[in-house]
Amino acid sequence: MTDRTMVRALATSAVLALGVLLSGCNGDAISPTAKATKPIPEKLLAEIEAKNMDKGSPMLVRLFKQEAELEVWKQDRTGHFALLKTYPICRWSGDLGPKIKEGDRQAPEGFYSITPAQMNPQSAYYLSFNMGYPNAYDKSWGRTGSQLMVHGDCSSRGCYAMTDEQISEIYALGRESFFGGQSAFQVQAYPFRMNAQNMAKYRNNPNMPFWKMIKEGNDHFEVTKQEPKVDFCEKKYVFDAQKPANSTRPLTFNASAQCPAYEIPQDIADAVREKERQDDAKIAQLVGRGTPVARSRAGIDGGMHPIFASKLPEGEAAIDKDVTDYAVASYLPAPGTVPSHATIPRAPEAPMFGSSSSSGEPMVAVSTPAPDTSATNTTSSSSNESFLSRLSRSVGLRRDPAPAPTTVAAASKPVKPVTQKAKSVAHAKPAESRPAEPRVIPLDKTQQAQAQPKSVFPEPARAAAPPAQQSIAGAQAPVPSNSFDSRWSTVR
């Protein structure tokens, strides 16, 4: 047993050395440096031991954009994964939603596998590991991009950026897991924590079909506390699939081909189905209570955890106070050094991308209607009318023009709520039709408003707006009491 462990450790060391030559996050292909071999801090080692884990046990990473948090989970001695530590993310770029194409500044969302070859000790951003985007699912949709990392330096152009001190710990944890025999660790990247509250808030987001799909993987992990097995077929994710009991042929998955016949272990299927039922009931309850739709983030480039934003000038403007407590974060020390070039997320002064609907930007926006200026224009034209014209009209020498006809817009028909059928995750069968590609909303706000889908959840009833008041034909616009006209009112 000891010899086998030594062989695996030596093999992993060789692969890590090869990774130095292969990985390319803006780094040079030279031998590993001291920062890549820095040991896990003693305090963190004590936490590992206190949580019944081993230094070299398998690890798993979960990322949450909206909350700007990175979680490191490790397998404890019972064989289940448990949360070791949560790291606030210093900077991520883009918007909530998956990455679509090279240059869109989107940080990826989905499930990715990190091998030793993807660890980069010579990164220009202190240390890093490549997330492996695009995976097979991304490629099946023709999505492009490269060198998407988790790294240090608190600067992001499509990556998840930590402080140098944070990435040093995370890198060391991954390295020790490889030395312990783990061939690859999984990264689960989400737009937000996949709970009922967030699913209700973002119910109108065009990325919701994609988010529901990866939420299934999240649910598999949460009910089992095991790393879910991930496969791809029919341009979708499949979790914990195994061959049917009566089948002797191994499962073969192809992201762009039809799914083979597979099934999900019954205990996992039952637990996931029950969790989905409870979540759907909570979502419907929250929507029925009038939970507001999340405000648009269109044009805001990424996010930053409040513990970092609170240390920067004007950092409070970058904090979503509905998610985290700014007052608490402002008093806590930053977990690492925030470089001087770090910037808070803010809307660009000019559009960053093309405004055409083919830009592929997964942005969500609500167009703001132009203010009604008809009343202002009427008042302005009345006040600009000459005194002699009003005088002639008052003595009957001039008539008022006929009032313009009032147009009443037809009331829109009520939209019936869409009822989703409960789906079973056990004994899945190959789908007969291919899924529709997840919708992507362009950055242009006019086109975004046109592309905004209706909610898949029933909205609470709203009171009808009162009818607009119409002015009486020939009525005069009010004028100030001390105006020239009021002083000559006796002449009229």
Side-chain angles (χ1 to χ4, degrees):
M1 182 65 181
T2 303
D3 292 340
R4 185 181 302 173
T5 303
M6 289 294 297
V7 170
R8 285 193 302 181
L10 290 173
T12 305
S13 300
V15 174
L16 283 171
L18 180 61
V20 177
L21 301 176
L22 298 179
S23 44
C25 186
N26 300 323
D28 299 323
I30 60 176
S31 60
T33 57
K35 60 186 177 183
T37 57
K38 189 175 181 181
I40 298 174
E42 290 297 327
K43 182 179 179 181
L44 188 55
L45 285 174
E47 290 183 33
I48 291 173
E49 181 62 33
K51 293 184 177 181
N52 197 31
M53 302 169 179
D54 295 315
K55 181 176 71 172
S57 65
M59 68 176 279
L60 181 147
V61 172
R62 305 215 305 168
L63 294 158
F64 304 96
K65 283 183 179 177
Q66 177 178 263
E67 293 81 3
E69 290 181 339
L70 181 152
E71 294 178 346
V72 172
W73 294 64
K74 282 185 71 69
Q75 196 175 69
D76 61 22
R77 290 166 187 151
T78 70
H80 295 86
F81 278 89
L83 179 62
L84 171 63
K85 187 172 180 179
T86 300
Y87 295 86
I89 296 175
C90 195
R91 196 71 165 85
W92 59 271
S93 62
D95 197 0
L96 302 183
K99 183 174 181 63
I100 304 299
K101 64 178 183 178
E102 185 84 43
D104 63 4
R105 296 184 63 87
Q106 284 291 106
E109 293 176 9
F111 288 72
Y112 299 90
S113 184
I114 314 303
T115 65
Q118 291 166 241
M119 305 289 281
N120 184 14
Q122 282 303 127
S123 171
Y125 301 104
Y126 194 76
L127 291 169
S128 67
F129 61 82
N130 191 318
M131 290 184 63
Y133 176 92
N135 61 17
Y137 169 84
D138 303 317
K139 291 177 182 177
S140 70
W141 287 110
R143 296 176 178 177
T144 58
S146 60
Q147 303 300 322
L148 280 304
M149 306 280 173
V150 175
H151 59 67
D153 199 48
C154 193
S155 176
S156 173
R157 290 179 295 177
C159 299
Y160 293 93
M162 319 300 292
T163 62
D164 293 352
E165 293 86 347
Q166 288 176 313
I167 194 61
S168 177
E169 283 190 10
I170 298 168
Y171 190 97
L173 289 168
R175 181 194 66 220
E176 295 301 324
S177 293
F178 291 138
F179 286 160
Q182 187 176 20
S183 59
F185 66 85
Q186 188 176 89
V187 171
Q188 304 174 6
Y190 300 104
F192 39 69
R193 295 192 178 276
M194 309 302 281
N195 54 39
Q197 290 76 14
N198 284 330
M199 298 299 282
K201 283 173 57 180
Y202 289 95
R203 58 189 179 272
N204 284 349
N205 193 293
N207 292 302
M208 185 54 70
F210 171 76
W211 291 341
K212 284 185 175 181
M213 179 175 61
I214 63 174
K215 180 183 181 295
E216 186 176 337
N218 169 82
D219 294 347
H220 277 242
F221 175 74
E222 292 194 356
V223 302
T224 65
K225 293 300 185 288
Q226 299 287 351
E227 177 183 304
K229 175 177 171 287
V230 180
D231 291 296
F232 312 94
C233 59
E234 298 178 4
K235 296 186 176 183
K236 66 181 181 180
Y237 280 87
V238 176
F239 301 99
D240 290 323
Q242 64 181 22
K243 64 182 181 181
N246 58 352
S247 175
T248 58
R249 300 178 61 182
L251 287 179
T252 302
F253 285 91
N254 185 314
S256 299
Q258 186 178 27
C259 292
Y262 69 88
E263 64 183 20
I264 298 172
Q266 192 63 46
D267 56 338
I268 298 177
D270 291 343
V272 170
R273 188 184 304 111
E274 176 59 22
K275 184 178 185 305
E276 288 180 344
R277 185 192 66 78
Q278 294 179 8
D279 289 347
D280 289 344
K282 290 179 183 177
I283 293 170
Q285 186 179 44
L286 290 167
V287 174
R289 290 178 178 176
T291 298
V293 176
R295 58 187 175 182
S296 169
R297 295 186 72 260
I300 299 177
D301 184 25
M304 169 181 276
H305 194 279
I307 203 168
F308 298 113
S310 62
K311 308 300 184 291
L312 298 175
E314 302 179 0
E316 185 177 0
I319 298 173
D320 186 351
K321 297 183 178 63
D322 294 337
V323 179
T324 44
D325 190 342
Y326 170 77
V328 173
S330 62
Y331 288 105
L332 295 176
T337 304
V338 182
S340 59
H341 59 257
T343 58
I344 64 171
R346 63 174 72 244
E349 295 181 1
M352 291 187 298
F353 313 110
S355 59
S356 65
S357 59
S358 61
S359 64
E361 294 306 317
M363 300 290 186
V364 181
V366 178
S367 62
T368 303
D372 185 4
T373 58
S374 59
T376 304
N377 293 337
T378 303
T379 304
S380 175
S381 62
S382 299
S383 60
N384 291 335
E385 188 180 11
S386 69
F387 166 71
L388 292 178
S389 297
R390 288 195 296 272
L391 181 60
S392 62
R393 186 174 60 249
S394 64
V395 297
L397 298 180
R398 182 178 175 182
R399 295 183 179 180
D400 291 326
T406 303
T407 302
V408 180
S412 58
K413 296 182 180 180
V415 179
K416 295 182 179 180
V418 179
T419 303
Q420 292 185 325
K421 297 181 180 179
K423 62 179 180 179
S424 171
V425 293
H427 306 285
K429 297 180 180 179
E432 297 180 357
S433 61
R434 298 191 180 279
E437 182 173 3
R439 294 186 59 187
V440 176
I441 299 301
L443 186 63
D444 181 75
K445 293 192 174 182
T446 302
Q447 296 172 352
Q448 288 171 339
Q450 295 172 352
Q452 190 76 355
K454 296 182 176 65
S455 172
V456 296
F457 300 103
E459 294 288 351
R462 300 178 180 175
Q469 296 182 355
Q470 300 181 5
S471 61
I472 301 174
Q476 294 286 331
V479 294
S481 59
N482 62 346
S483 67
F484 176 79
D485 293 339
S486 64
R487 292 197 297 270
W488 286 86
S489 60
T490 55
V491 179
R492 298 182 186 178

